Amino acid sequence: MTLNNNSSTINESVIGLDGPLVINIILSIIGFFVTVRIIPLFGGLFIQAGLSGKDLNKPLPAKGKEAKQVPEALGVICGAMFLIIMFIFIPFPFGKKWFENDANKFPHNEFVEFIVALLSICCMIFLGFADDVLNLKWRHKLWLPTMATLPLLMVYMVNFGSTTVVLPKPFTQYIGTSVDLRFMYYVYMGMLGVFCTNAINILAGINGIEAGQSLVIGLSIVVFNCYELYGSWPSAHRFSLYFMLPYCAVCAGLLYHNWYPSRVFVGDTFCYFSGMTFAVVAILGHFSKTVLLFFIPQIVNFLYSVPQLFHFVPCPRHRLPSFNEKTNKLEMSCTRFRLDNLNIIGRLIVRLLRLLHLIHVVDNVGEDKKEIQVNNFTIINFVLKLVGPTHEQTLTVYLLVIQVLCSVGAFIIRYQLARLFYDVVD
């Protein structure tokens, strides 16, 4: 009997799985197949409700035929499936201790974290769907994630409460080994939720890119969590896996239908749902800096987009690539303006980016030949600047390869380069 128990313990420690985690994996697999099955069933209902659009990167139909309507906002089905999986899963990590009838042994803190995490994700799915239906303005898109992260921050403050940041070695002789950020740490975590939800939303516009990049980030977090199950904080990473495995499953199911040629559009709902899920595990799992490393392409895209997002340079409503019907390929989308109409910051930005060959500029355009034409400031257009006109599916593959390579780079930074700046890397 002792030998069997020891063998069971050894096997569990070797594969890193416990009962609830195995059940979570099984539910996730089921969730993937159910998601793949039910998304087409809801497509017609979304079209009838007016939640549909035309794929602008596809050839126009022949005369007399209408362009095919593609259902939008199907990310809400993906999010609903995720919530169903998580609701079914709730009893498994906590049920055993509940039936022991010992209130002192029940992990109330962990249970509250679990429920509040679902609350924040549920709020963002609802708010994302409201955005798809009501087409909210950008200022609303900044406030909504902030409100949804407040329950997370309250639970973090009550259960954990640490706002101390360990400083890199070069700063220790001047400031010390750590600094307590206090209120500013909560501001940072709130901004993390805003960034995660909107970063995926602005790197969009071609089939499969939103779901694809989210799946790569999700799988990167899963790999990180699995490795860290043997580290100093196994419970935090097990908590993260409980969320990330079902998320990756339903995300893969959505990507199956969103891949070129897309049969559904994911909508802002999916971007909000994905971003908040990443923010939840980052904040409550206490590895927010590592999650940001997996967002390297999104951070680069945001920084590259800043001149247009903050209107230093004219920004059209849609910055997705232009479709060339003759070649069936995507090309850079561009915007035109007079350089002397920009303020001094805008002129400096354009000249600097031009000097660094980060934008494509055509001089002397327009009727009076006094305008310039530049590509829209997105990483998608930048890749098209480097490789030239590209088929949509190929472009998506390029961008996902970049995402994967950046995740590999993130692991190198996390486990190798970090040792140059910190004595202990947990």
Side-chain angles (χ1 to χ4, degrees), residues 111-311:
F111 185 72
V112 170
E113 288 182 356
F114 197 96
I115 298 301
V116 169
L118 288 178
L119 171 64
S120 294
I121 294 172
C122 188
C123 285
M124 284 314 300
I125 293 173
F126 169 74
L127 295 173
F129 190 64
D131 186 12
D132 282 322
V133 175
L134 303 176
N135 197 19
L136 301 176
K137 296 182 178 180
W138 266 105
R139 61 175 177 268
H140 301 136
K141 296 182 181 183
L142 296 178
W143 282 108
L144 295 180
T146 304
M147 296 298 103
T149 55
L150 290 179
L152 285 178
L153 301 183
M154 290 298 299
V155 169
Y156 180 89
M157 181 177 67
V158 173
N159 283 0
F160 197 69
S162 175
T163 56
T164 302
V165 177
V166 179
L167 296 176
K169 293 179 183 178
F171 297 98
T172 55
Q173 57 181 329
Y174 305 106
I175 305 176
T177 58
S178 62
V179 60
D180 190 354
L181 297 180
R182 298 182 183 275
F183 176 74
M184 291 306 299
Y185 192 79
Y186 293 98
V187 174
Y188 154 72
M189 289 193 292
M191 292 177 64
L192 177 68
V194 175
F195 172 77
C196 289
T197 53
N198 287 287
I200 295 172
N201 202 14
I202 64 174
L203 181 49
I206 57 177
N207 291 173
I209 189 62
E210 296 101 324
Q213 64 181 304
S214 300
L215 182 60
V216 173
I217 295 171
L219 291 175
S220 300
I221 295 175
V222 167
V223 172
F224 171 68
N225 291 150
C226 290
Y227 181 80
E228 289 294 326
L229 281 177
Y230 307 100
S232 303
W233 297 86
S235 60
H237 293 281
R238 187 176 291 106
F239 170 87
S240 177
L241 284 172
Y242 289 160
F243 284 81
M244 293 313 304
L245 290 174
Y247 169 80
C248 289
V250 297
C251 182
L254 181 61
L255 179 61
Y256 176 81
H257 294 287
N258 185 236
W259 191 255
Y260 182 92
S262 179
R263 297 176 293 281
V264 301
F265 293 147
V266 300
D268 291 338
T269 307
F270 175 77
C271 299
Y272 284 21
F273 159 53
S274 298
M276 185 52 65
T277 304
F278 297 144
V280 161
V281 298
I283 293 172
L284 297 182
H286 317 301
F287 53 88
S288 59
K289 295 186 291 294
T290 301
V291 168
L292 285 177
L293 288 176
F294 296 135
F295 272 80
I296 291 176
Q298 287 71 28
I299 294 173
V300 171
N301 183 61
F302 171 74
L303 295 176
Y304 188 52
S305 299
V306 160
Q308 287 191 313
L309 294 178
F310 291 91
H311 297 285

Side-chain angles (χ1 to χ4, degrees), residues 206 259-260 390-400:
I206 57 177
W259 191 255
Y260 182 92
T390 307
H391 189 271
E392 184 175 4
Q393 184 176 10
T394 305
L395 180 59
T396 302
V397 172
Y398 286 161
L399 291 166
L400 294 184

Side-chain angles (χ1 to χ4, degrees), residues 80-92:
M81 192 65 230
F82 170 84
L83 292 176
I84 291 172
I85 294 172
M86 297 305 295
F87 292 159
I88 295 174
F89 177 69
I90 287 174
F92 294 100

Side-chain angles (χ1 to χ4, degrees), residues 53-102:
K54 300 175 183 178
D55 196 333
L56 301 179
N57 293 330
K58 300 295 184 296
L60 293 173
K63 290 184 178 180
K65 293 185 178 180
E66 294 185 359
K68 181 182 177 182
Q69 293 293 316
V70 181
E72 292 181 345
L74 266 296
V76 71
I77 302 300
C78 176
M81 192 65 230
F82 170 84
L83 292 176
I84 291 172
I85 294 172
M86 297 305 295
F87 292 159
I88 295 174
F89 177 69
I90 287 174
F92 294 100
F94 303 104
K96 181 178 179 181
K97 294 181 180 179
W98 173 259
F99 286 113
E100 289 177 356
N101 293 323
D102 189 342

